[in-house]
Amino acid sequence: MTADFEFEIGAQPPANDPLFEDFWTNFQAEADSPSSSPSNAAALRAMLSEKYGAGFAAMDLMHSTAVEAINWASETVHAALDDSAEDDAFADYINLQVGLGGRALLAFDEVGWLLRGGYLPGAWAHLRTIHELFVVSATLGLQGMPDGEYPDLVERYVHHHQVFTPSLARDILAASPHVGSKLDEDVLQALQLKRQSLISKYGSTFARPWGWAAPILPNGNPTFSSVSRLVLPEFSMFYRIASAHLHASSEGLNEAWMQQDPRTKFVRAGPEDGNFAAPAILASGLVIGVLGAIVPISITTSPSNNFITGGRYILGALTRIQHQIAIGMSA
C-alpha cells in the first residue's frame, strides 16, 4: 500500500488554527441558512405519516387504552384485597407486574415514535426490550404468584439488581473520583454486605445476570434464552433479529451500508421506509401478553361474591386494536 493514513480517535478541535476557525464560521453560516425546500427526512416522514397513519393511530389507541387498563386493574385488585399476609404478598406481586407493564408500554410508545421517524432498526431494538419484559412478566405470572410453585421469585427479582450495585459503584468511582464524598468506604462496604447477604440467602447462581430465575430451571443455569424457552420458545428467532439492531455484532452491517461500486460503500444512517408491520404487530402482541398478567379477566370477592369481568373485555378490545395495527401498518 502506497498511501499513508492517519487517524485520531477522540479528536479535538484544532487549537490556535485560524484556518479551522474560518472553516467553522462558514460551516455554521451554511448550517443556519434557511432552506427553501423540506429536507429528504422531512419529506419521507410526511410520506410515512400518510402511508401508515391508520396504523400509527391504532398504536396510539393501544397505548392509551393499555395505560388505562393497567391503572384500572391496579386500583380494582387492591380494592379487593384484605389486610392479611397473604393479600400483602399478592399486592407486592401485582405492584411488580404493574411496574413491568409500565416499562413495556413506554418501550411500545417508543417503537411507535421510532417508526413514525422512519427508524426501523431502532424499533426492532426496543421490541427486544418488550420481549424481555414479557419473559419476566410471564415467568412471574406462571411460576411466581404467591400461591404458585415458586412464590419467592417476586422477592428474588426485586432484589436481584443489588448484587451488581457494588461493581457499578466502584466503576463510577474509578471514572469520577470526585463522587468519593458520596461513595465513601462505608457506602461501598454496605453495598458489598448487601450483595453477600443476597448470595448467602439465594445461592451463588443468584449473582448471574438472570440468577433470580434459577429455581425454575432444571439445570440451575439461568440465562435469558433458558428462561425464555419456558414461556415463549417460538420467539427466539425474533430475539435474534432484534439483537442485531441493538448490539455491535457484524450481523447489523448490511443495514448500515449503501453500495456505491464493487469496492466503495457509503453509509445508510437516516430514516427509511420498510417492513413496519412486523415490529408493530409483535410489539403490540407482547404488550397484550404483559397485560394478561396484570388485568384479571374476572374478580370474585367474598363474602359479597361480587363478580367483576371488565378485564376480559378490556383485553378483548386490545386484541381488536392489534388487528387494526396489523391492517394499518401493512399499507
Side-chain angles (χ1 to χ4, degrees):
M1 189 169 80
T2 57
D4 185 25
F5 303 96
E6 182 180 3
F7 301 95
E8 182 183 3
I9 297 176
Q12 297 294 323
N16 303 318
D17 188 338
L19 291 178
F20 171 74
E21 298 304 332
D22 289 342
F23 166 82
W24 176 242
T25 299
N26 294 331
F27 177 87
Q28 283 188 304
E30 185 175 345
D32 293 340
S33 62
S35 175
S36 58
S37 59
S39 66
N40 292 336
L44 174 68
R45 287 169 186 146
M47 181 275 291
L48 295 176
S49 179
E50 181 176 353
K51 181 178 180 180
Y52 301 110
F56 293 145
M59 291 186 75
D60 289 343
L61 179 60
M62 170 161 281
H63 181 267
S64 61
T65 304
V67 168
E68 291 186 17
I70 290 177
N71 290 335
W72 171 85
S74 181
E75 182 179 12
T76 305
V77 167
H78 282 284
L81 297 177
D82 296 324
D83 293 328
S84 66
E86 181 183 8
D87 282 11
D88 286 346
F90 195 84
D92 291 339
Y93 164 80
I94 202 68
N95 285 335
L96 172 53
Q97 291 285 12
V98 166
L100 294 170
R103 289 197 61 191
L105 286 179
L106 175 59
F108 177 77
D109 203 30
E110 290 168 341
V111 168
W113 281 102
L114 285 163
L115 291 176
R116 276 181 170 91
Y119 298 110
L120 184 59
W124 276 108
H126 283 68
L127 171 64
R128 208 192 85 145
T129 299
I130 305 174
H131 180 198
E132 290 190 9
L133 290 165
F134 169 82
V135 168
V136 175
S137 176
T139 300
L140 294 172
L142 294 171
Q143 309 268 14
M145 293 183 69
D147 59 351
E149 189 174 357
Y150 302 98
D152 66 334
L153 282 184
V154 169
E155 183 180 359
R156 290 174 65 98
Y157 177 78
V158 169
H159 293 296
H160 184 240
H161 71 279
Q162 292 176 299
V163 298
F164 308 106
T165 306
S167 60
L168 173 61
R170 289 193 296 270
D171 289 344
I172 293 174
L173 191 59
S176 305
H178 65 275
V179 302
S181 59
K182 297 184 182 298
L183 292 177
D184 58 23
E185 194 58 38
D186 289 341
V187 172
L188 294 175
Q189 185 177 8
L191 295 176
Q192 186 63 28
L193 287 174
K194 181 62 177 179
R195 168 186 161 87
Q196 291 171 350
S197 68
L198 289 170
I199 294 174
S200 297
K201 181 177 182 179
Y202 296 123
S204 60
T205 55
F206 190 70
R208 298 180 184 178
W210 282 75
W212 63 270
I216 69 174
L217 299 167
N219 61 4
N221 182 27
T223 65
F224 172 76
S225 296
S226 62
V227 178
S228 179
R229 280 194 292 269
L230 296 178
V231 295
L232 198 64
E234 67 277 11
F235 213 79
S236 343
M237 63 174 177
F238 295 110
Y239 188 78
R240 292 265 324 264
I241 293 171
S243 293
H245 303 293
L246 185 64
H247 296 305
S249 70
S250 58
E251 191 175 356
L253 284 176
N254 288 332
E255 295 190 354
W257 280 330
M258 283 193 306
Q259 194 78 33
Q260 177 68 10
D261 56 48
R263 188 174 185 179
T264 306
K265 291 181 171 67
F266 288 170
V267 296
R268 297 166 57 191
E272 294 182 317
D273 193 2
N275 180 12
F276 285 11
I281 295 170
L282 292 171
S284 58
L286 290 170
V287 162
I288 293 172
V290 172
L291 264 72
I294 305 171
V295 180
I297 59 174
S298 67
I299 302 175
T300 305
T301 62
S302 59
S304 62
N305 290 324
N306 184 23
F307 194 61
I308 302 171
T309 59
R312 182 184 295 277
Y313 301 133
I314 294 173
L315 293 173
L318 288 171
T319 60
R320 291 283 178 87
I321 297 172
Q322 185 193 26
H323 183 63
Q324 294 175 351
I325 291 173
I327 295 173
M329 301 305 289
S330 301

